[in-house]
Amino acid sequence: KQEVTQIPAALSVPEGENLVLNCSFTDSAIYNLQWFRQDPGKGLTSLLLIQSSQREQTSGRLNASLDKSSGRSTLYIAASQPGDSATYLCAVHSNSGYALNFGKGTSLLVTP
Amino acid sequence: DADVTQTPRNRITKTGKRIMLECSQTKGHDRMYWYRQDPGLGLRLIYYSFDVKDINKGEISDGYSVSRQAQAKFSLSLESAIPNQTALYFCATSDSRTGRGYTFGSGTRLTVV
């Protein structure tokens, strides 16, 4: 079974800092990996989708990388803002799986 | 309008009651899923459906049932609700033809008292 781990579980940074969120997975045979944002008590908003053949994806201040061989993905947030405060979830669709496997998320707080 | 719509948004029900959570989508996706989210446990898959005639159990299906009434509709039922089914429930869709990732609904917060 694919296990997805996110480190750190929580992170607090001052506004303006660049930061990295980490995601690791145990089975490198993946179809794709997706990063989501979740605000408290709300739904999941897709941020970036990386297909297995890709190394990275970028959207605005966000950049996600994928290293299948080492079972890792990182989400880089540049010039963080208080509005970035949320929980960030990493989810993996394995080749052998039938749905997404989620990490438990990183709770991010960006202070003014 | 949202691509994936869940109803109700919030629901409080009593132990032993039957309750149905509904999901509809306008994405045209063939695959639909139900997840539940609990603090500290993350999102876990309850049931998934790859088309109207294909329904499968996920990792935590006990106490739940589903119905895929049409390609665009997938409902989740709790036959006899119990307090440990209190959670945030999400419906999701994906398209097997494009592999362009999953779309989630806004969730249903269910409280069983």
Side-chain angles (χ1 to χ4, degrees):
Chain A
K1 178 181 181 291
Q2 178 75 269
E3 300 289 340
V4 182
T5 302
Q6 291 187 244
I7 295 173
L11 182 63
S12 180
V13 300
E15 180 177 9
E17 276 204 7
N18 302 324
L19 56 100
V20 174
L21 308 182
N22 297 292
C23 172
S24 62
F25 46 94
T26 53
D27 182 357
S28 61
I30 68 170
Y31 184 57
N32 57 40
L33 183 148
Q34 198 165 356
W35 282 93
F36 294 90
R37 169 186 172 138
Q38 185 179 25
D39 293 290
K42 303 295 184 182
L44 279 66
T45 300
S46 181
L47 298 174
L48 290 165
L49 171 70
I50 310 177
Q51 301 291 351
S52 63
S53 59
Q54 297 174 323
R55 297 283 297 189
E56 66 178 342
Q57 283 288 323
T58 298
S59 176
R61 294 182 294 108
L62 305 179
N63 175 275
S65 67
L66 174 64
D67 183 345
K68 276 198 312 178
S69 61
S70 65
R72 294 179 181 179
S73 176
T74 61
L75 179 66
Y76 176 83
I77 302 177
S80 59
Q81 303 171 357
D84 294 330
S85 298
T87 295
Y88 291 80
L89 296 165
C90 171
V92 175
H93 188 165
S94 304
N95 288 346
S96 60
Y98 35 76
L100 287 176
N101 291 109
F102 280 84
K104 293 181 180 180
T106 293
S107 178
L108 173 65
L109 176 64
V110 181
T111 56
Chain B
D1 288 341
D3 294 322
V4 181
T5 302
Q6 292 184 234
T7 56
R9 292 296 306 276
N10 293 281
R11 180 73 181 267
I12 300 174
T13 192
K14 294 183 177 180
T15 297
K17 292 292 187 180
R18 184 179 188 275
I19 182 170
M20 179 182 289
L21 309 183
E22 299 190 9
C23 177
S24 63
Q25 54 122 342
T26 58
K27 301 282 289 184
H29 289 175
D30 54 338
R31 299 182 174 185
M32 298 186 74
Y33 312 81
W34 277 103
Y35 285 86
R36 67 176 277 177
Q37 185 178 36
D38 300 275
L41 296 178
L43 279 93
R44 295 177 292 167
L45 183 66
I46 306 172
Y47 269 95
Y48 62 102
S49 171
F50 283 177
D51 65 37
V52 173
K53 297 181 180 179
D54 180 29
I55 292 178
N56 303 279
K57 294 181 178 180
E59 60 182 299
I60 54 164
S61 59
D62 288 348
Y64 301 94
S65 63
V66 292
S67 174
R68 184 87 182 261
Q69 301 95 324
Q71 187 185 38
K73 296 182 182 291
F74 192 35
S75 59
L76 176 72
S77 294
L78 287 68
E79 296 302 325
S80 179
I82 56 177
N84 76 1
Q85 291 177 315
T86 293
L88 189 55
Y89 289 83
F90 288 105
C91 174
T93 70
S94 69
D95 188 337
S96 63
R97 297 163 297 177
T98 65
R100 289 185 180 173
Y102 289 59
T103 301
F104 279 76
S106 297
T108 294
R109 181 167 296 283
L110 177 66
T111 303
V112 183
V113 298

